[in-house]
Amino acid sequence: TCGTPSSGLPAKKTTASNQPFTTTSNSLHIMGLDMYLYAEKYVSGYDNTNSAKISAGVKKLARQAGLRTSDLKFSGFGSAVIRITVGYWRKANAIHNWFVQNVQDGEDNCRPYYVDTEKLKELRDECQAALADKDNTDILPPTAGFFFGSTERDEYYYDDLKTTIEIIDNILNNDRFKGLEIYYRASW
């Protein structure tokens, strides 16, 4: 397994029913395919008005992270990257496989991958096609994998397709996402 995004490789344990789960500092989490779409923005640490100062934006982010400006003394200008989860799926293995094949060059390695607007549109179009022609099993086929969930084309599968369309439409139709980079990452 690749572990969880927040904790690296988690400790593996089992519940009373012998279901594998992982623990993080905040929760109990049954193991399975977790998928994230992130929006990222780079915040420059350079202050245009005074080249010896760290920018106010980076100072504010540092404070929110529990750091002081003095903690950044070895970071040059202390630039930052803001990462916000804008999409989440659980065991939507057909969607995951689409990202692996179309964005990750076939590498299923739990690393973040940049997703451009055209790829988001392609995925949305495939989800719409699979919903429109439920008899065509060649469009977004479910994929088996370690803790990937069901490979049936059931109500959960179709709900995942609808959720994917909603996530992508939110990103593509919202001006606030312009200038942000979108990344996909999965873990299990």
Side-chain angles (χ1 to χ4, degrees):
T1 65
C2 299
T4 60
S6 60
S7 64
L9 282 175
K12 293 181 189 174
K13 301 178 181 182
T14 57
T15 62
S17 64
N18 212 26
Q19 269 283 8
F21 71 87
T22 60
T23 56
T24 64
S25 59
N26 299 328
S27 66
L28 168 71
H29 189 78
I30 303 297
M31 286 181 69
L33 177 62
D34 291 300
M35 305 151 52
Y36 305 87
L37 211 55
Y38 298 108
E40 288 190 358
K41 179 166 179 79
Y42 172 80
V43 179
S44 174
Y46 183 73
D47 181 343
N48 293 356
T49 62
N50 184 340
S51 63
K53 286 185 168 180
I54 295 174
S55 73
V58 170
K59 287 179 185 179
K60 183 176 181 180
L61 290 171
R63 281 193 304 275
Q64 290 175 338
L67 299 172
R68 296 180 311 260
T69 304
S70 63
D71 295 328
L72 304 176
K73 63 184 172 188
F74 298 109
S75 67
F77 291 112
S79 61
V81 174
I82 300 169
R83 176 186 299 153
I84 298 179
T85 303
V86 295
Y88 172 78
W89 302 262
R90 175 113 173 113
K91 297 186 180 185
N93 55 59
I95 303 302
H96 173 66
N97 187 55
W98 188 92
F99 278 109
V100 170
Q101 299 308 317
N102 294 281
V103 174
Q104 299 175 211
D105 295 325
E107 295 290 326
D108 192 0
N109 56 16
C110 300
R111 292 186 178 158
Y113 285 85
Y114 173 75
V115 185
D116 66 35
T117 302
E118 291 308 310
K119 288 295 183 188
L120 290 173
K121 289 177 184 176
E122 286 176 31
L123 176 55
R124 181 192 58 196
D125 292 348
E126 286 204 39
C127 289
Q128 290 170 334
L131 287 167
D133 186 2
K134 293 182 179 180
D135 293 329
N136 186 344
T137 59
D138 293 331
I139 303 171
L140 288 173
T143 304
F146 190 65
F147 295 118
F148 276 29
S150 173
T151 56
E152 299 296 318
R153 286 179 174 261
D154 55 15
E155 67 181 281
Y156 300 108
Y157 168 84
Y158 293 108
D159 285 346
D160 289 336
L161 299 183
K162 292 173 190 172
T163 298
T164 302
I165 293 168
E166 290 174 10
I167 290 168
I168 293 171
D169 280 345
N170 182 53
I171 293 167
L172 296 178
N173 299 327
N174 189 334
D175 287 339
R176 288 184 289 278
F177 283 98
K178 286 186 172 48
L180 301 179
E181 293 184 344
I182 305 297
Y183 290 86
Y184 171 78
R185 183 177 189 275
S187 64
W188 60 90

